[in-house]
Amino acid sequence: MEAFIVEGGYRLEGSLRVDSAKNAVLPLMAASVLTPEEVTLTDVPDIADRHSMAEILSILGAKVTPTGRGLTISSGGLHNWEMPDRLSKRIRSSIFLLGPILSRFRRATVTYPGGCEIGLRPIDLHLNGLRCLGVSIHEEGGLIHCDGTRMHAGEIHFDYPSVGATENVMMAAALLPGETVIHNAAREPEIVDLQQMMNRMGAKVRGAGGQTICVEGVKALHGVTWKPMPDRIVAGTLLAAAAITGGEIELTDAPVSDMVAVNAKLREMGCVLHEEPHRLTLTAPRRLTAFAQLQTQPHPGFPTDMQVQMLALLCASEGTGVVVENVFENRFTHAGDLNRMGAHILCSGRTAVVRGVETLYGARVTARDLRGGAALVLAGLRAQGVTQVDRADLIDRGYDHLEKQLCALGGKVTRIEA
Ligand code: EPZ
């Protein structure tokens, strides 16, 4: 197992380009199944989830070829609609292959992707959405058998604006004659990116980014070359790294317009940010000021994927702040390790109260999910002494060699075999 060794006390300075977004790349890779023609995604980060998704697609019969910093998917040879159990459990995003595979084969079998550290991760909204499109679903022994032979356009109302379920239904409806309407759709920017690529492939999707998405079915989709949108969560994580070290950094190719909530919270903590359409700079004070409260919400609210990084910033800030996690039921799993580094975090259910301390201390800690692992690295950047963050593999799921990115900004982070 690999670990990160983080030497604290180095101010981050410099400039970095933001990679394409994991949470855009994964649904875009799934959407490649909607056409037998080649889909090329340029500039895809070297992250574990990309490779897992590529492996699943290959097992289904698609051909996935790395092309420079990107990849090309040819799913003309797709012959299998049964998602491999061991892989579909490894990444949750395999569930949104369901829609495209049903669209292509009118049949699909998938295992429950299973929960993870941050919550149970049910898929009821995905399955109900597909049922509204005429898919009959039979669950047996952890397997989900879908029969789409009588699929039709339909009207869906999501009880909760689920990102994955919205993406799944968008893709499932793309080739269904008639108009499908999705009410209370998720509004995340990655869904807009998916709509734009699908339309470039010949689909007729409109409304992404809003609460109602309409999909007019077409006969077929064709290939496309597409650059996925930049990663607003990696960008936010790098800004947080500069903020916790009292640093000053520039990010280029950044999705600035998708970072309003995060940038506002960093300003509330005393950071000075200058924004341009695809570039921004952050200058942090020596010590941050605690924000009064942070509530995670579906987009455009504060993103849950940036919650634990902000919790880490609070730990070393002046004052006391409250964090409420409204999206996932168990996303404070890293509070214990942060407290072992000298933080004062009190958790109760979905609420954490943090009294900031002047000094954090290096310790040996363990990542439990990719965002929490990144937050432990951030705390290590601030801490006195050396911090070892075990399970670097979990961080690698969504960060392309985080240690190299932080070192490029003057941090001292190395990867070891623990
Ligand atoms: C996507 O997950 C992201 N993953 C997550 O990023 C992100 O945290 C999440 O959206 C929220 O923004 C990808 O895009 C690959 P949801 P997803 O369906 O689609 C409940 C990261 O760190 N729910 O919007 O799974 C669910 O339990 C990851 O990059 C149901 O109850 O998120 C959760 O409480 C973590 N039933 C809430 O909705 C369902 O059928 C939000 O889930 C589906 C979801």
Short mmCIF file of all heavy atoms in Angstrom, two decimals, residues 22-23 26-27 92-93 96 118 120-127 160-165 167 188 232 304-305 327-329 331 350 369-371, ligand 1:
data_model
loop_
_atom_site.label_atom_id
_atom_site.label_comp_id
_atom_site.label_asym_id
_atom_site.label_seq_id
_atom_site.Cartn_x
_atom_site.Cartn_y
_atom_site.Cartn_z
N LYS A 22 -12.86 14.43 -13.14
CA LYS A 22 -13.22 13.01 -12.97
C LYS A 22 -14.73 12.84 -13.15
O LYS A 22 -15.18 11.95 -13.87
CB LYS A 22 -12.84 12.54 -11.58
CG LYS A 22 -13.48 11.21 -11.15
CD LYS A 22 -13.04 10.74 -9.78
CE LYS A 22 -13.90 11.23 -8.68
NZ LYS A 22 -15.18 10.52 -8.50
N ASN A 23 -15.52 13.73 -12.53
CA ASN A 23 -16.97 13.54 -12.53
C ASN A 23 -17.64 14.01 -13.81
O ASN A 23 -18.87 13.91 -13.94
CB ASN A 23 -17.59 14.21 -11.29
CG ASN A 23 -17.16 13.48 -10.03
OD1 ASN A 23 -16.60 12.38 -10.11
ND2 ASN A 23 -17.38 14.09 -8.88
N LEU A 26 -16.12 10.40 -16.29
CA LEU A 26 -16.76 9.10 -16.10
C LEU A 26 -18.09 8.99 -16.84
O LEU A 26 -18.30 8.03 -17.60
CB LEU A 26 -16.89 8.80 -14.61
CG LEU A 26 -15.53 8.61 -13.90
CD1 LEU A 26 -15.71 8.48 -12.39
CD2 LEU A 26 -14.77 7.42 -14.44
N PRO A 27 -19.02 9.95 -16.70
CA PRO A 27 -20.25 9.84 -17.50
C PRO A 27 -19.99 10.00 -19.00
O PRO A 27 -20.66 9.37 -19.82
CB PRO A 27 -21.13 10.97 -16.97
CG PRO A 27 -20.26 11.85 -16.15
CD PRO A 27 -19.10 11.04 -15.70
N ARG A 92 -18.45 3.24 -8.21
CA ARG A 92 -19.89 3.47 -8.19
C ARG A 92 -20.37 3.94 -9.56
O ARG A 92 -21.47 3.65 -9.99
CB ARG A 92 -20.17 4.52 -7.13
CG ARG A 92 -21.57 4.96 -7.15
CD ARG A 92 -21.91 5.91 -6.06
NE ARG A 92 -23.23 6.41 -6.32
CZ ARG A 92 -24.34 5.71 -6.11
NH1 ARG A 92 -24.24 4.49 -5.62
NH2 ARG A 92 -25.52 6.19 -6.38
N SER A 93 -19.51 4.64 -10.27
CA SER A 93 -19.98 5.28 -11.51
C SER A 93 -20.30 4.24 -12.57
O SER A 93 -20.83 4.56 -13.62
CB SER A 93 -18.95 6.26 -12.03
OG SER A 93 -17.69 5.87 -11.65
N PHE A 96 -23.87 4.23 -13.97
CA PHE A 96 -24.46 5.00 -15.06
C PHE A 96 -24.00 4.51 -16.43
O PHE A 96 -24.11 5.21 -17.42
CB PHE A 96 -24.41 6.51 -14.93
CG PHE A 96 -23.17 7.16 -14.47
CD1 PHE A 96 -21.99 7.01 -15.18
CD2 PHE A 96 -23.19 7.94 -13.34
CE1 PHE A 96 -20.87 7.65 -14.77
CE2 PHE A 96 -22.05 8.59 -12.93
CZ PHE A 96 -20.88 8.45 -13.64
N ILE A 118 -18.64 7.02 2.48
CA ILE A 118 -19.40 8.26 2.76
C ILE A 118 -20.90 8.00 2.86
O ILE A 118 -21.66 8.90 3.19
CB ILE A 118 -19.11 9.35 1.70
CG1 ILE A 118 -19.54 8.90 0.30
CG2 ILE A 118 -17.65 9.74 1.73
CD1 ILE A 118 -19.30 9.97 -0.76
N LEU A 120 -24.47 4.95 2.17
CA LEU A 120 -25.03 3.71 1.61
C LEU A 120 -25.08 3.75 0.09
O LEU A 120 -25.04 2.74 -0.59
CB LEU A 120 -26.44 3.49 2.17
CG LEU A 120 -26.52 3.02 3.63
CD1 LEU A 120 -27.95 3.00 4.11
CD2 LEU A 120 -25.88 1.64 3.76
N ARG A 121 -25.21 4.93 -0.46
CA ARG A 121 -25.23 5.14 -1.91
C ARG A 121 -26.30 4.28 -2.60
O ARG A 121 -26.02 3.47 -3.46
CB ARG A 121 -23.86 4.86 -2.53
CG ARG A 121 -22.67 5.45 -1.82
CD ARG A 121 -22.63 6.98 -1.81
NE ARG A 121 -22.47 7.59 -3.10
CZ ARG A 121 -21.28 7.79 -3.69
NH1 ARG A 121 -20.19 7.37 -3.10
NH2 ARG A 121 -21.21 8.38 -4.87
N PRO A 122 -27.56 4.40 -2.21
CA PRO A 122 -28.62 3.63 -2.88
C PRO A 122 -28.75 4.04 -4.35
O PRO A 122 -28.22 5.08 -4.75
CB PRO A 122 -29.87 4.00 -2.09
CG PRO A 122 -29.56 5.28 -1.44
CD PRO A 122 -28.08 5.31 -1.19
N ILE A 123 -29.46 3.21 -5.12
CA ILE A 123 -29.66 3.54 -6.54
C ILE A 123 -31.15 3.54 -6.89
O ILE A 123 -31.51 3.42 -8.06
CB ILE A 123 -28.90 2.56 -7.45
CG1 ILE A 123 -29.34 1.11 -7.18
CG2 ILE A 123 -27.40 2.70 -7.29
CD1 ILE A 123 -28.82 0.13 -8.21
N ASP A 124 -31.99 3.74 -5.88
CA ASP A 124 -33.44 3.72 -6.13
C ASP A 124 -33.87 4.78 -7.14
O ASP A 124 -34.76 4.53 -7.97
CB ASP A 124 -34.19 3.91 -4.81
CG ASP A 124 -33.78 5.19 -4.10
OD1 ASP A 124 -32.56 5.37 -3.85
OD2 ASP A 124 -34.63 6.05 -3.86
N LEU A 125 -33.23 5.94 -7.10
CA LEU A 125 -33.62 7.02 -8.02
C LEU A 125 -33.25 6.64 -9.46
O LEU A 125 -34.00 6.92 -10.41
CB LEU A 125 -32.96 8.34 -7.62
CG LEU A 125 -33.36 8.87 -6.23
CD1 LEU A 125 -32.50 10.07 -5.84
CD2 LEU A 125 -34.83 9.23 -6.18
N HIS A 126 -32.10 5.96 -9.62
CA HIS A 126 -31.71 5.49 -10.95
C HIS A 126 -32.78 4.52 -11.47
O HIS A 126 -33.28 4.65 -12.59
CB HIS A 126 -30.38 4.72 -10.89
CG HIS A 126 -29.19 5.56 -10.55
ND1 HIS A 126 -28.21 5.89 -11.45
CD2 HIS A 126 -28.80 6.12 -9.37
CE1 HIS A 126 -27.27 6.62 -10.85
NE2 HIS A 126 -27.61 6.76 -9.60
N LEU A 127 -33.12 3.55 -10.62
CA LEU A 127 -34.03 2.47 -11.07
C LEU A 127 -35.43 3.01 -11.32
O LEU A 127 -36.07 2.68 -12.33
CB LEU A 127 -34.04 1.33 -10.05
CG LEU A 127 -32.67 0.69 -9.77
CD1 LEU A 127 -32.80 -0.49 -8.81
CD2 LEU A 127 -31.98 0.25 -11.07
N TYR A 160 -35.10 13.54 -5.35
CA TYR A 160 -33.88 14.25 -4.96
C TYR A 160 -33.07 14.46 -6.25
O TYR A 160 -33.01 13.55 -7.09
CB TYR A 160 -33.07 13.41 -3.95
CG TYR A 160 -31.78 14.09 -3.54
CD1 TYR A 160 -31.73 14.93 -2.42
CD2 TYR A 160 -30.62 13.93 -4.30
CE1 TYR A 160 -30.55 15.57 -2.08
CE2 TYR A 160 -29.45 14.57 -3.95
CZ TYR A 160 -29.42 15.40 -2.84
OH TYR A 160 -28.26 16.05 -2.51
N PRO A 161 -32.47 15.61 -6.43
CA PRO A 161 -31.72 15.86 -7.69
C PRO A 161 -30.41 15.08 -7.73
O PRO A 161 -29.32 15.64 -7.55
CB PRO A 161 -31.49 17.37 -7.66
CG PRO A 161 -31.47 17.73 -6.21
CD PRO A 161 -32.43 16.81 -5.55
N SER A 162 -30.52 13.77 -7.98
CA SER A 162 -29.34 12.90 -8.02
C SER A 162 -28.53 13.14 -9.30
O SER A 162 -29.08 13.08 -10.41
CB SER A 162 -29.79 11.44 -7.98
OG SER A 162 -28.82 10.59 -8.55
N VAL A 163 -27.22 13.37 -9.14
CA VAL A 163 -26.34 13.61 -10.30
C VAL A 163 -26.33 12.38 -11.21
O VAL A 163 -26.65 12.45 -12.40
CB VAL A 163 -24.91 13.95 -9.83
CG1 VAL A 163 -23.96 14.05 -11.01
CG2 VAL A 163 -24.91 15.23 -9.02
N GLY A 164 -25.99 11.24 -10.64
CA GLY A 164 -25.86 10.02 -11.45
C GLY A 164 -27.17 9.59 -12.07
O GLY A 164 -27.20 9.18 -13.24
N ALA A 165 -28.25 9.70 -11.31
CA ALA A 165 -29.54 9.27 -11.85
C ALA A 165 -29.97 10.18 -13.00
O ALA A 165 -30.51 9.71 -14.02
CB ALA A 165 -30.60 9.27 -10.74
N GLU A 167 -27.95 11.74 -15.04
CA GLU A 167 -27.09 11.37 -16.18
C GLU A 167 -27.54 10.06 -16.81
O GLU A 167 -27.62 9.92 -18.03
CB GLU A 167 -25.63 11.28 -15.72
CG GLU A 167 -25.04 12.64 -15.35
CD GLU A 167 -23.75 12.56 -14.55
OE1 GLU A 167 -23.46 11.51 -13.94
OE2 GLU A 167 -23.02 13.57 -14.53
N GLU A 188 -25.64 20.04 -11.63
CA GLU A 188 -24.17 20.11 -11.62
C GLU A 188 -23.61 20.45 -13.01
O GLU A 188 -24.16 20.01 -14.04
CB GLU A 188 -23.59 18.80 -11.12
CG GLU A 188 -23.42 18.71 -9.59
CD GLU A 188 -24.74 18.71 -8.80
OE1 GLU A 188 -25.82 18.61 -9.42
OE2 GLU A 188 -24.68 18.83 -7.58
N ARG A 232 -13.57 21.15 -11.08
CA ARG A 232 -13.81 22.21 -10.09
C ARG A 232 -13.45 21.77 -8.67
O ARG A 232 -13.18 22.61 -7.80
CB ARG A 232 -15.27 22.68 -10.15
CG ARG A 232 -16.28 21.58 -9.86
CD ARG A 232 -17.68 21.97 -10.31
NE ARG A 232 -18.58 20.81 -10.24
CZ ARG A 232 -19.43 20.59 -9.24
NH1 ARG A 232 -19.53 21.44 -8.25
NH2 ARG A 232 -20.21 19.52 -9.23
N THR A 304 -20.61 19.09 -1.83
CA THR A 304 -20.22 18.13 -0.79
C THR A 304 -18.80 17.63 -0.99
O THR A 304 -18.09 17.34 -0.02
CB THR A 304 -21.19 16.94 -0.75
OG1 THR A 304 -20.74 15.97 0.19
CG2 THR A 304 -21.32 16.27 -2.11
N ASP A 305 -18.32 17.58 -2.22
CA ASP A 305 -16.97 17.06 -2.49
C ASP A 305 -15.87 18.00 -2.03
O ASP A 305 -14.70 17.65 -2.08
CB ASP A 305 -16.79 16.76 -3.98
CG ASP A 305 -17.65 15.60 -4.42
OD1 ASP A 305 -18.18 14.90 -3.54
OD2 ASP A 305 -17.83 15.42 -5.63
N VAL A 327 -25.74 16.26 2.06
CA VAL A 327 -25.86 15.39 0.89
C VAL A 327 -25.61 13.93 1.23
O VAL A 327 -26.40 13.06 0.89
CB VAL A 327 -24.91 15.87 -0.23
CG1 VAL A 327 -24.95 14.92 -1.42
CG2 VAL A 327 -25.27 17.29 -0.67
N PHE A 328 -24.50 13.64 1.92
CA PHE A 328 -24.20 12.24 2.29
C PHE A 328 -24.32 12.08 3.80
O PHE A 328 -24.12 13.03 4.57
CB PHE A 328 -22.79 11.86 1.82
CG PHE A 328 -22.70 11.68 0.34
CD1 PHE A 328 -22.11 12.65 -0.45
CD2 PHE A 328 -23.24 10.55 -0.27
CE1 PHE A 328 -22.06 12.50 -1.83
CE2 PHE A 328 -23.18 10.40 -1.64
CZ PHE A 328 -22.58 11.38 -2.42
N GLU A 329 -24.61 10.83 4.20
CA GLU A 329 -24.91 10.62 5.63
C GLU A 329 -23.68 10.38 6.49
O GLU A 329 -23.76 10.39 7.70
CB GLU A 329 -25.90 9.47 5.81
CG GLU A 329 -25.43 8.09 5.34
CD GLU A 329 -25.87 7.77 3.92
OE1 GLU A 329 -25.97 8.71 3.10
OE2 GLU A 329 -26.10 6.59 3.63
N ARG A 331 -20.02 11.74 6.09
CA ARG A 331 -18.87 12.34 5.41
C ARG A 331 -17.98 13.11 6.39
O ARG A 331 -17.29 14.04 6.01
CB ARG A 331 -19.33 13.24 4.25
CG ARG A 331 -18.30 13.22 3.14
CD ARG A 331 -18.73 13.73 1.81
NE ARG A 331 -17.70 13.38 0.83
CZ ARG A 331 -17.79 13.62 -0.47
NH1 ARG A 331 -18.86 14.23 -0.95
NH2 ARG A 331 -16.82 13.26 -1.29
N ARG A 350 -25.04 14.91 11.17
CA ARG A 350 -24.59 15.58 9.96
C ARG A 350 -23.94 16.92 10.26
O ARG A 350 -23.68 17.71 9.36
CB ARG A 350 -25.77 15.77 8.99
CG ARG A 350 -26.26 14.45 8.39
CD ARG A 350 -27.42 14.66 7.44
NE ARG A 350 -27.87 13.42 6.84
CZ ARG A 350 -27.84 13.19 5.54
NH1 ARG A 350 -27.38 14.12 4.74
NH2 ARG A 350 -28.27 12.06 5.03
N ASP A 369 -11.60 7.91 2.02
CA ASP A 369 -12.17 8.14 0.70
C ASP A 369 -11.31 9.22 0.05
O ASP A 369 -10.47 9.83 0.71
CB ASP A 369 -13.65 8.55 0.76
CG ASP A 369 -13.85 9.94 1.34
OD1 ASP A 369 -13.60 10.94 0.62
OD2 ASP A 369 -14.18 10.03 2.53
N LEU A 370 -11.52 9.47 -1.24
CA LEU A 370 -10.56 10.33 -1.95
C LEU A 370 -10.56 11.76 -1.43
O LEU A 370 -9.48 12.38 -1.28
CB LEU A 370 -10.79 10.30 -3.45
CG LEU A 370 -12.02 10.92 -4.06
CD1 LEU A 370 -11.77 11.26 -5.51
CD2 LEU A 370 -13.19 10.00 -3.97
N ARG A 371 -11.71 12.33 -1.12
CA ARG A 371 -11.74 13.73 -0.68
C ARG A 371 -11.23 13.87 0.76
O ARG A 371 -10.50 14.80 1.07
CB ARG A 371 -13.15 14.32 -0.80
CG ARG A 371 -13.79 14.14 -2.14
CD ARG A 371 -12.97 14.71 -3.29
NE ARG A 371 -13.61 14.42 -4.58
CZ ARG A 371 -13.05 14.64 -5.74
NH1 ARG A 371 -11.84 15.14 -5.81
NH2 ARG A 371 -13.66 14.33 -6.87
C1 EPZ B 1 -21.88 12.16 -7.88
O1 EPZ B 1 -22.17 10.98 -7.17
C2 EPZ B 1 -20.37 12.32 -7.78
N1 EPZ B 1 -19.71 11.18 -8.42
C3 EPZ B 1 -19.95 12.41 -6.31
O2 EPZ B 1 -18.56 12.63 -6.27
C4 EPZ B 1 -20.66 13.62 -5.70
O3 EPZ B 1 -20.35 13.70 -4.33
C5 EPZ B 1 -22.18 13.48 -5.88
O4 EPZ B 1 -22.50 13.31 -7.28
C6 EPZ B 1 -22.93 14.70 -5.35
O5 EPZ B 1 -22.49 15.84 -6.03
C7 EPZ B 1 -19.63 11.15 -9.78
O6 EPZ B 1 -20.12 12.03 -10.48
C8 EPZ B 1 -18.90 9.98 -10.37
P1 EPZ B 1 -25.97 11.62 -6.12
P2 EPZ B 1 -23.68 10.35 -7.23
O7 EPZ B 1 -26.71 10.55 -6.83
O8 EPZ B 1 -24.23 10.51 -8.60
C9 EPZ B 1 -28.61 9.84 -2.64
C10 EPZ B 1 -16.35 12.31 -5.52
O9 EPZ B 1 -15.77 12.45 -4.43
N2 EPZ B 1 -29.13 8.95 -3.68
O10 EPZ B 1 -26.23 13.05 -6.48
O11 EPZ B 1 -23.63 9.03 -6.63
C11 EPZ B 1 -27.17 9.51 -2.29
O12 EPZ B 1 -27.11 8.47 -1.34
C12 EPZ B 1 -17.73 11.67 -5.58
O13 EPZ B 1 -15.90 12.68 -6.63
C13 EPZ B 1 -30.23 8.17 -3.39
O14 EPZ B 1 -30.78 8.20 -2.29
O15 EPZ B 1 -24.43 11.36 -6.22
C14 EPZ B 1 -26.66 10.80 -1.73
O16 EPZ B 1 -27.06 10.92 -0.38
C15 EPZ B 1 -18.23 11.32 -4.18
N3 EPZ B 1 -30.72 7.33 -4.35
C16 EPZ B 1 -27.39 11.85 -2.57
O17 EPZ B 1 -28.52 11.19 -3.14
C17 EPZ B 1 -30.15 7.25 -5.60
O18 EPZ B 1 -30.65 6.49 -6.45
C18 EPZ B 1 -26.53 12.44 -3.68
O19 EPZ B 1 -26.19 11.38 -4.54
C19 EPZ B 1 -29.02 8.06 -5.87
C20 EPZ B 1 -28.54 8.91 -4.90
#
